[in-house]
Amino acid sequence: MILLLISLFIFLFGRLFYLQVVEAKFLQEKAEEQWTRDLPINAERGVIYDRNGIALAVSYTTYDIFVRHSNVEDEESVAKLLASKLGLNYDAVLSKVSNAKVSESLIKMQVESSVAKELKNSKLSGIYYSENTKRYYPYGDFLTQVLGYTTIDNIGQSGLELYYDKFLQGIDGYSKIQSDIRGTELYNTLDSYIPSVAGNNLILTIDYQIQLLCEQAAVRIMQEQKPTSAQIIVMDPNTGEILAMTSKPSFDLNSPPRNDVATLLAESKNLSIVDVYEPGSTFKILTTAAALEEKKTTLEDRFYDPGYRIVDGQKIKCWKHIGHGSQSMVDGLNNSCNSVFIDLALRLGLDKMYEYFEKFGFGTSTNVDFAGESGGILMDKDLVKKVDLARMGFGQAIAVTPLQQIRAISSVVNGGILYQPYFVKEISSNSGNYKKEFSSVAVRRTVSEDTSNKMRYMIEQVIKKANAIESFIPGYRVGGKTGTTELMSTTGKTGEHIASFVGTFPADKPEYVILVVVDRPTSGHYYGSIVATPYAKTVFEGIIKYKNIQPTEDLDRDLKLMEKNIQMPNLVGKSLSQAVGIIKNLGLQYELEGEGGKVLAQYPAPTEMLYKNGIVVLTT
Amino acid sequence: MSKKTKKLKIEYVNIPIVVATLLLVIFGVVMVFSASSYNAEIHYNNKYFYMTKQIIGAVLGIGAMIFFYFLDYHKLQKWKNWILLASFVLLAVVFIPGLGSTSNGATRWIRLPGFTIQPSEIAKFGFVIFVAGYLAKNFDVIKAFRGILPVLAVGGMMCVLIMLEPNMSITMCVGITMLVMLFIGGASLKHFAYMSLPIAGLVPALIIAEPYRLKRLMAFINPWENPKGEGYQLLQSLYSIGEGGLFGVGLFNSRQKYMFLPFSESDFIFSIICEELGLLGATITMLLYLVIIISGILIAKHAKDRFGALLAGGITTVIASQVLINIAVVSGSIPPTGVPLPFISAGSTSLVVFMSAIGILLNISKQSKQNVIKSS
């Protein structure tokens, strides 16, 4: 009896020996696995600053709210409190609070700390808080498409937030705590703590003040011209730095329309980089530069325009159907006479034309630090007919991105160097351990210094003398060129235009180049001079004020030029030739909308005062 | 009974069994505190909740032990039928709605103001007293099957009642005790063979009646198969035991008691002992039980009469079977079944009843020693 008993005890001892000595290590590892809980410590996302250190995107601490069913004493009060403070549906919250099947339910992420504090003050048991960070854009709807937005989990979704995501993200840390089976922390048992590493900060080439000017101008375009979209870019032509870039419509980055995916996708697209347009007349600058460089023309070269050119049996009309008559190269650009640029394109020939497209960077991406860039659309060179080449001369039959266009024109006015456009000047860590600076990258020479000088002169003349006087700023030297393209509609709808303006300031040695693109204005006007130019002017005026740039020209002389001493007559009902005669006598210029022989409408209205060389638009 | 024998004379006291019992009881209070304090804090907002109850049980138990030490065990023989009746009544009361208390799907307790008692703990010793009394009185007919029939009938009824709660482990305990006592009482081996047949048939029947038992059985064979389900309890117990190693993680330092190991203060307290005090502590604990059990066997052997021998044998069997089953269960040596570890597991009914039983053993021992001294 006793022997049996002792042998049973010895068996049990053997079993314990097996478990506690032989299997001990394995069992201990398994046990220890379940005793600890990892708490992530979210890394703070890096700050995005403008070039002068103004924070455009920051992160701040928020709380994710959890409920642990096992610790909830009063399910209904907890649900009621959470529903009311967090703006959630009571029944939905109650079902989470009373769900005994899971140890922990997430109630809401990214709750502001003030709200979390109120919840904590309620002293109701069962509510838990986990620190998180939330992206905040202090200026809201500002630089929207360039900055981009993040998911609620702070992962970059678009724009620079996406392109530089891995730099901005940082490294999450974690703390390991000893807990009971429900995950409740046991006292003073912090096992290990690995702090998070904050993401790197970005310093942009963007200048907050100039961006603000562009944002305001674009908002006004949207209100006054009612277009589908509007884009404004300001670039430093001597470095390729993008000083401002805006695209409207847009949204407040702090509340992206996440529930309306179509709108979100459409409005978060940075049209200046990912979308293409037919540049139209602003492209004439490039044709002229190429022709000068290739010695196919000179400033004194003369052209005759009867209102059209016939190429390969096709009649290509100038915008001014009655023709510009005889004019110099400089006048041709002033008048934006299509016939002149048809001639230049044909003189250059297909090979040279394409060689310059390539030099100016069309058909390839600019390598800007931004995701999803379009390279533009060039016709397959083998398929280009003479008539297509002719149209390319004045910016049709080619599609470019606004960014490609402004960079190409920048190269023409900066002395002939094409730069790689860029948004980020510097990436650096808070600790200073990591720092990466980006400097300007010169890609290639497009035209010679001499050609560039001539182009600067010509572009300034356009503003001074011709149809873009709307952007003339007394005391300062401004250059520029308008563009207006009629859209080739696939639906057969006509009368849709893209109006644009490219401006340089100061015209003799440009430090700022601006491009304004207004897509399908519906205000009744579509000429770049009316729909785009005035807004570029306000941006330049804003820059002058912001940078406190002193006037370089004789202010009195300029003011005289700008004096509005011509009263607008009533031209409605008169024949076109009659009306044109009156306008010329008054020292005004005109543009035509329509192809009729009789004036149906006019702009500006009668009795309004105009300055010399002011533009009258006649609708026939 | 003369006045003289009522005085405590140290030479009549079975010192090893008293020391071993008191050591286990005190150790039990400490371990109950260690294993339950976190749980008690969470559920009752008082980390001393279980320990306080255990101390009350220990104090009452010491009183009961002293009482039975002085109570002539032959009185139990006279009262055996009443004791049996009381045991059945208590077992039946559990099923009266309002009085019975249910926990984890089993109705095992009677709720009284301020505390609960577990009748099966009392009944198993009531049964031991009855069987010892019956067999002592009817030893002449025991060789015949009809002679042991009343024992089988009473034992069977009791098993049925306890099974209805349900409480399989105490049922097993009662069954084992019945068999051992019949064996000690001199029943013929042939009849054991007969008895084993229906018992062999009963086990599959019980498993079919409550399929969870089969699952539990499977969990015992491979607890890793369903570590979050049936295997959970056993795995957690094995983690505790393994964590202890040779010398343990130190008293009060168990990590498994933070709600990972269910029933850590009651049926699975031995795992916590293993975790905190290691193989060394577990071995010392088992040696203390061995002291009590071997002392019990010796008391039975030297009892001055047949009733004393059977009573001591029965009590010792109950203690031994519960200790062995409990340790075998927590170490994954047999299929899991909930049986408290005598003197240590939280539960004051169990504690008082076991200490009473030790008191009876001491009385039997005292009377045999007096006999020896007198006759020498």
Side-chain angles (χ1 to χ4, degrees), chain A residues 36 77 100 309 356 414 419 437 469 471 474 514:
Chain A
T36 53
S77 337
R309 279 282 187 278
Y356 275 89
N414 71 8
Y419 288 97
E437 285 178 85
I469 198 152
S471 68
I514 190 170

Side-chain angles (χ1 to χ4, degrees), chain B residues 50-364:
Chain B
Y50 288 101
M51 189 182 78
T52 311
K53 288 176 83 170
Q54 194 72 0
I55 289 174
I56 292 169
V59 171
L60 290 175
I62 288 170
M65 197 164 96
I66 293 168
F67 173 77
F68 281 102
Y69 171 70
F70 287 114
L71 181 76
D72 180 6
Y73 68 89
H74 296 97
K75 293 211 167 122
L76 298 173
Q77 191 174 13
K78 275 186 221 159
W79 302 338
K80 70 171 192 298
N81 292 330
W82 294 107
I83 290 170
L84 185 70
L85 185 66
S87 299
F88 274 110
V89 169
L90 282 172
L91 283 176
V93 163
V94 166
F95 298 106
I96 298 173
L99 285 174
S101 162
T102 305
S103 163
N104 294 317
T107 313
R108 297 175 181 174
W109 297 268
I110 297 174
R111 194 198 305 275
L112 292 173
F115 64 106
T116 57
I117 60 170
Q118 197 176 346
S120 56
E121 294 285 348
I122 298 169
K124 66 190 173 198
F125 284 108
F127 178 68
V128 166
I129 292 166
F130 169 80
V131 174
Y134 174 84
L135 292 178
K137 202 175 161 192
N138 302 295
F139 70 95
D140 47 342
V141 294
I142 269 170
K143 291 289 175 196
F145 189 68
R146 64 177 167 82
I148 62 168
L149 209 55
V151 175
L152 295 178
V154 168
M157 270 170 67
M158 188 165 279
C159 284
V160 167
L161 273 178
I162 299 174
M163 218 39 236
L164 284 175
E165 289 179 349
N167 191 338
M168 191 168 177
S169 29
I170 299 292
T171 310
M172 274 170 63
C173 239
V174 170
I176 290 169
T177 306
M178 183 175 77
L179 294 178
V180 172
M181 287 182 74
L182 284 173
F183 179 72
I184 299 170
S188 91
L189 285 172
K190 195 171 61 182
H191 296 148
F192 278 97
Y194 294 156
M195 279 184 288
S196 61
L197 286 174
I199 290 170
L202 208 61
V203 171
L206 286 174
I207 286 172
I208 290 162
E210 292 275 3
Y212 80 88
R213 295 197 179 100
L214 185 67
K215 276 192 173 172
R216 274 204 193 172
L217 198 72
M218 299 319 287
F220 145 72
I221 292 161
N222 184 9
W224 306 100
E225 201 166 279
N226 193 354
K228 299 240 177 229
E230 282 73 35
Y232 180 79
Q233 176 80 49
L234 178 56
L235 277 187
Q236 295 300 333
S237 178
L238 296 183
Y239 290 164
S240 291
I241 295 170
E243 185 66 20
L246 273 179
F247 302 108
V249 296
L251 191 62
F252 304 130
N253 290 342
S254 161
R255 277 293 278 111
Q256 285 290 94
K257 69 187 181 189
Y258 289 95
M259 301 164 95
F260 292 101
L261 176 65
F263 307 114
S264 59
E265 77 288 346
S266 56
D267 294 351
F268 282 80
I269 198 162
F270 192 75
S271 313
I272 302 292
I273 294 172
C274 288
E275 184 182 353
E276 295 194 346
L277 303 172
L279 184 60
L280 186 68
T283 305
I284 291 172
T285 309
M286 289 197 290
L287 286 176
L288 288 173
Y289 281 116
L290 213 49
V291 167
I292 292 174
I293 295 163
I294 291 173
S295 303
I297 292 170
L298 293 175
I299 290 168
K301 227 174 179 173
H302 298 124
K304 69 176 186 184
D305 50 31
R306 188 173 289 272
F307 176 64
L310 283 165
L311 189 56
I315 287 169
T316 307
T317 307
V318 171
I319 295 171
S321 61
Q322 270 194 234
V323 169
L324 289 168
I325 290 175
N326 181 282
I327 297 175
V329 166
V330 303
S331 62
S333 313
I334 61 168
T337 176
V339 49
L341 189 63
F343 311 111
I344 295 183
S345 284
S348 14
T349 315
S350 167
L351 191 54
V352 171
V353 168
F354 271 102
M355 291 179 78
S356 303
I358 294 294
I360 295 170
L361 281 182
L362 289 174
N363 185 265
I364 299 169

Side-chain angles (χ1 to χ4, degrees), chain A residues 45-116:
Chain A
R45 203 170 165 81
V47 179
I48 303 179
Y49 296 101
D50 93 327
R51 63 187 301 124
N52 298 314
I54 295 172
L56 303 175
V58 297
S59 289
Y60 67 101
T61 303
T62 56
Y63 293 86
D64 296 343
I65 309 290
F66 297 89
V67 161
R68 289 209 189 97
H69 173 264
S70 56
N71 290 18
V72 172
E73 274 171 19
D74 181 351
E75 289 175 3
E76 282 175 17
S77 337
V78 168
K80 200 179 278 175
L81 177 79
L82 291 175
S84 71
K85 295 282 183 203
L86 304 178
L88 301 169
N89 177 279
Y90 171 78
D91 293 325
V93 175
L94 184 63
S95 78
K96 280 185 182 174
V97 171
S98 53
N99 183 358
K101 284 182 189 150
V102 294
S103 65
E104 163 176 291
S105 308
L106 175 64
I107 302 297
K108 193 175 183 182
M109 285 180 78
Q110 305 278 28
V111 172
E112 304 291 324
S113 61
S114 60
V115 179

Side-chain angles (χ1 to χ4, degrees), chain A residues 15 34-35 178 180-181, chain B residues 38 232 236 241 255-256 331:
Chain A
R15 174 72 182 158
Q34 67 177 4
W35 295 343
Q178 296 278 336
D180 73 7
I181 195 164
Chain B
Y38 186 74
Y232 180 79
Q236 295 300 333
I241 295 170
R255 277 293 278 111
Q256 285 290 94
S331 62

